[in-house]
Amino acid sequence: MASATCALCGVRSEGKELPLTWVTSVEDGHKLVYCDRCARENLRSIEVKLDSVYW
Ligand SMILES: [Zn+2]
């Protein structure tokens, strides 16, 4: 697996595996990855999007 790139700030993960602190989110069929920092800052908006899928 190639190193992941944060969908928001563009920072790349170190190593081949996704850090446990990073968050993946599938939006419109695209798999997006957020670094730990962006995940914290955007956790609410991500959850809102996830909730909207079920509603
Ligand atoms: Zn980021």
Side-chain angles (χ1 to χ4, degrees), residues 6-11 22 33-39:
C6 177
L8 287 177
C9 68
V11 70
W22 285 42
V33 182
Y34 301 101
C35 68
D36 53 351
R37 217 186 90 209
C38 291

Side-chain angles (χ1 to χ4, degrees), residues 8 23 25 27 34-53:
L8 287 177
V23 174
S25 175
E27 299 175 10
Y34 301 101
C35 68
D36 53 351
R37 217 186 90 209
C38 291
R40 265 200 302 272
E41 294 178 354
N42 296 275
L43 194 59
R44 285 188 179 179
S45 61
I46 294 174
E47 288 178 343
V48 168
K49 289 177 182 176
L50 288 176
D51 288 341
S52 65
V53 173

Side-chain angles (χ1 to χ4, degrees), residues 1-7 10-19 22 33:
M1 178 178 171
S3 62
T5 303
C6 177
V11 70
R12 290 192 178 187
S13 66
E14 297 180 4
K16 293 182 178 180
E17 294 189 14
L18 192 70
W22 285 42
V33 182

